[in-house]
């Protein structure tokens, strides 16, 4: 659920890509590689193009958490080889993620007939995006330029599927699945012909394998 006018062709993420980054408990920071095994992309042309571009510029997210891990400031960042790593200042573009706590009156999980605003109360996190102009509008009492999309937990820490959110994520991926094996091969992504047309998602693998590749 989101009011963001443009959505990315991805599905899910985790903090499990320990080969890329682990939680720094002293600073309460962690990085997430969007082209690593902890980030799922939709198996369609837009997903392949976004993956290719993100990998070319070393795109990742830098998370800075508060003391009780209920809110994070998220910085878009790139790794440009000898030019180093660069993060976008939050004053220009701010991404935050804040833990939501369902009220006693909220029906969670929501029934199938629930309206959008009733469903969002059940999301685990509220991801808020704003920019430089948002602060100007806020000065005049307007929330224009502030966008929310809601993040649902689909698997718990023990690997158990959280329903109905897990099935909803799979269904959304299936609905958007439009494989393009020729484009994936042009990009050097080794998507299996046996499974490439069937799977709704793909992830990137670490470059320490024989070939840098992506699998479904």
């Amino acid at each position: 659920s989101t009011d963001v006018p443009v959505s990315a062709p991805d599905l899910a993420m985790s903090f499990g890509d320990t080969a890329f980054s682990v939680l720094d408990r002293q600073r309460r920071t962690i990085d997430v590689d969007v082209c690593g095994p902890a980030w799922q992309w939709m198996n369609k042309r837009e997903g392949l193009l976004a993956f290719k571009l993100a990998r070319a510029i070393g795109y990742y997210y830098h998370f800075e958490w508060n003391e009780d891990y209920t809110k994070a400031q998220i910085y878009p960042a790139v790794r440009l080889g000898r030019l180093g790593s660069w993060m976008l200042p939050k004053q220009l573009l701010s991404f935050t993620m804040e833990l939501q706590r369902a009220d006693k009156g909220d029906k969670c999980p929501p029934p199938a007939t629930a309206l959008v605003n009733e469903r969002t109360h059940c999301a685990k996190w509220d991801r808020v995006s704003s920019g430089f102009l948002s602060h100007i509008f806020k000065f005049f009492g307007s929330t224009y330029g502030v966008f929310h999309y809601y993040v649902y937990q689909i698997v718990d820490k023990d690997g158990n599927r959280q329903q109905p959110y897990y099935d909803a994520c799979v269904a959304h991926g299936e609905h958007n699945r439009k494989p393009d094996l020729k484009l994936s091969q042009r990009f050097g992504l080794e998507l299996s012909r046996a499974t490439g047309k069937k799977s709704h998602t793909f992830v990137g693998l670490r470059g320490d394998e024989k070939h840098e590749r992506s699998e479904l």
Side-chain angles (χ1 to χ4, degrees):
S1 302
T2 178
D3 57 13
V4 178
V6 179
S7 59
D10 50 10
L11 285 170
M13 57 81 66
S14 77
F15 296 102
D17 185 7
T18 56
F20 184 77
S21 179
V22 296
L23 178 66
D24 184 326
R25 296 185 180 276
Q26 184 176 0
R27 294 184 174 88
R28 299 189 300 276
T29 61
I30 190 170
D31 297 334
V32 179
D33 180 11
V34 303
C35 295
W39 199 279
Q40 287 189 327
W41 293 92
M42 293 180 184
N43 186 12
K44 63 177 185 176
R45 184 179 183 87
E46 293 87 343
L48 293 168
L49 290 169
F51 178 88
K52 177 67 173 179
L53 175 61
R55 188 172 63 175
I57 62 175
Y59 192 82
Y60 68 99
Y61 289 110
H62 177 75
F63 286 71
E64 291 185 355
W65 295 92
N66 64 354
E67 291 185 358
D68 59 359
Y69 293 90
T70 58
K71 186 174 182 179
Q73 181 71 47
I74 308 169
Y75 295 88
V78 295
R79 290 186 174 179
L80 301 175
R82 293 182 179 179
L83 296 178
S85 296
W86 297 82
M87 292 192 296
L88 192 65
K90 64 181 179 181
Q91 291 80 5
L92 293 180
L93 183 62
S94 175
F95 294 159
T96 61
M97 190 168 76
E98 188 167 355
L99 181 67
Q100 292 200 133
R101 303 188 188 278
D103 296 328
K104 292 183 179 180
D106 294 334
K107 296 180 179 179
C108 297
T113 56
L115 300 176
V116 172
N117 62 337
E118 295 173 329
R119 296 173 185 270
T120 56
H121 294 167
C122 300
K124 186 78 170 181
W125 300 91
D126 180 10
R127 252 283 291 110
V128 184
S129 302
S130 61
F132 173 73
L133 294 178
S134 307
H135 303 292
I136 298 176
F137 288 116
K138 184 179 180 180
F139 179 80
F140 293 100
S142 173
T143 59
Y144 185 80
V146 178
F147 301 100
H148 298 255
Y149 78 77
Y150 297 89
V151 181
Y152 296 83
Q153 183 176 9
I154 61 174
V155 178
D156 68 13
K157 63 182 179 64
D158 299 315
N160 300 309
R161 297 175 180 178
Q162 302 297 290
Q163 300 291 7
Y165 314 116
Y166 181 92
D167 285 349
C169 180
V170 172
H172 182 61
E174 287 290 345
H175 176 74
N176 286 277
R177 178 170 58 90
K178 297 178 182 178
D180 190 331
L181 292 180
K182 289 184 178 180
L183 183 62
S184 65
Q185 291 170 355
R186 185 183 306 171
F187 286 169
L189 306 178
E190 299 179 9
L191 304 185
S192 167
R193 287 190 175 275
T195 61
K197 292 184 177 181
K198 298 178 181 179
S199 181
H200 62 274
T201 182
F202 70 91
V203 300
L205 298 183
R206 287 281 140 242
D208 56 358
E209 298 193 357
K210 184 176 181 181
H211 302 288
E212 187 175 14
R213 64 197 178 104
S214 176
E215 277 194 349
L216 298 166

